Amino acid sequence: MSLRIVTWNINSVRLRIDQVARFVAEHAPDVLCLQEIKCTADQFPRQAFIDMGLPYLRIGGQKGWHGVAIASRLPIVDSPKLDVCREGHARCVSAVVEGVEVQNFYIPAGGDLPDRALNPKFDHKMDFYERLTAEMKTRDRQRPLVLAGDFNIAPGENDVWNHRFMSKVVSHTPGEVETLYRLQDAGGFADVVRDQIPDPTKLASWWSYRAKDFRKSNRGLRLDHLWTSPGLTPAVVKGSARILDAVREWERPSDHAPVVMDLDV
């Protein structure tokens, strides 16, 4: 069967529930991973997701900040939550759907200063990655696993609008990029979107709200990712991975666009 998995930093699920409904109607995800839901579990609009045909839910909520959720068309089996956030934020939620483990993350942005000693937010970001990397080293690479979410790092030169400028800005500094690649190497993960849309094609999934016309300013970053373990990568449907940047054009959009891939499981 085909399994369509989408990751989307929604930037408030209650504020944009109509957009989520429109997206689900137009793109028919089987598993929708959301970040920055910005509500507690009891505030989450469950009935709206039931009405959309995504009744199976796993929610990691937090009042006013962060928060992650997985909504599925198909039944969910519980998967152990990863304890990788030292601050106890709601930044990770997991589920198993059709035998595929999905780990959905909202990794810390890291503040403005790329210095662990001077910036606790940046240190938290690096610590989150280090804990997650250590966890992935223990995993069976043949187990079907997806890492999804807003990783808050754009790794490649063509994942940012200007490599030289962004190399000094948190999200694309050399230390962050190396940290992301260490995580990728720890589990042998495939970066599905970049593998299917190779360099030198420019890709982005986030654009600042500061620009009235995000396409005209064209200062995007590829912060949102779908990764597959070696045991799952052969199941990725060729040509299915893409960034749905047209969603960023909708009225009052999230600053992130959804990212999608299909699996043949």
Side-chain angles (χ1 to χ4, degrees):
M1 66 171 290
S2 177
L3 190 69
R4 174 163 291 175
I5 298 180
V6 173
T7 182
W8 189 9
N9 181 319
I10 193 61
N11 194 10
S12 179
V13 68
R14 292 179 294 175
L15 182 64
R16 296 188 170 85
I17 191 62
D18 290 343
Q19 291 195 9
V20 177
R22 175 183 171 184
F23 177 83
V24 170
E26 292 183 5
H27 293 281
D30 297 299
V31 180
L32 178 59
C33 299
L34 297 173
Q35 304 87 40
E36 279 202 274
I37 62 173
K38 294 184 176 179
C39 66
T40 56
D42 63 308
Q43 296 170 328
F44 191 85
R46 293 172 180 267
Q47 188 59 49
F49 281 85
I50 293 171
D51 295 343
M52 292 175 212
L54 298 173
Y56 302 99
L57 301 167
R58 292 295 182 271
I59 302 162
Q62 185 173 341
K63 185 177 180 180
W65 297 94
H66 317 312
V68 283
I70 297 174
S72 176
R73 181 178 63 82
L74 301 160
I76 286 175
V77 177
D78 285 335
S79 176
K81 180 182 176 182
L82 301 183
D83 183 19
V84 292
C85 180
R86 72 181 187 196
E87 306 296 333
H89 297 163
R91 293 183 177 274
C92 177
V93 69
S94 61
V96 176
V97 181
E98 291 296 308
V100 177
E101 179 183 351
V102 179
Q103 293 284 349
N104 175 25
F105 299 100
Y106 174 46
I107 297 180
D112 296 326
L113 183 66
D115 187 309
R116 296 187 70 163
L118 298 177
N119 179 3
K121 291 182 178 180
F122 190 76
D123 184 61
H124 180 211
K125 181 178 190 173
M126 295 297 100
D127 182 78
F128 192 107
Y129 267 102
E130 288 164 357
R131 292 175 186 230
L132 184 54
T133 299
E135 169 66 27
M136 290 302 115
K137 286 180 179 179
T138 70
R139 293 299 190 97
D140 176 1
R141 292 188 172 199
Q142 293 311 305
R143 181 176 179 177
L145 171 61
V146 174
L147 299 192
D150 179 357
F151 292 5
N152 265 312
I153 295 177
E157 292 188 19
N158 294 302
D159 298 326
V160 295
W161 64 274
N162 184 304
H163 170 62
R164 179 176 293 182
F165 176 82
M166 288 302 303
S167 292
K168 301 175 184 178
V169 178
V170 172
S171 71
H172 188 62
T173 62
E176 290 173 282
V177 172
E178 291 169 9
T179 295
L180 184 73
Y181 286 147
R182 278 196 293 272
L183 171 60
Q184 187 176 6
D185 291 345
F189 293 103
D191 179 352
V192 174
V193 172
R194 181 49 82 186
D195 287 351
Q196 291 200 354
I197 310 173
D199 292 319
T201 302
K202 287 275 191 181
L203 293 175
S205 63
W206 171 91
W207 298 262
S208 172
Y209 284 130
R210 292 177 183 148
K212 289 185 178 180
D213 185 338
F214 78 96
R215 292 200 188 278
K216 185 177 180 181
S217 65
N218 199 27
R219 294 190 173 193
L221 309 175
R222 189 171 72 96
L223 303 177
D224 304 272
H225 301 275
L226 290 168
W227 288 3
T228 52
S229 64
L232 185 61
T233 298
V236 178
V237 175
K238 186 177 180 179
S240 68
R242 57 202 186 278
I243 299 170
L244 300 172
D245 56 1
V247 175
R248 183 62 174 77
E249 299 172 350
W250 292 359
E251 186 176 356
R252 296 184 69 197
S254 171
D255 45 357
H256 294 254
V259 182
V260 60
M261 70 175 177
D262 294 340
L263 302 174
D264 188 4
V265 295

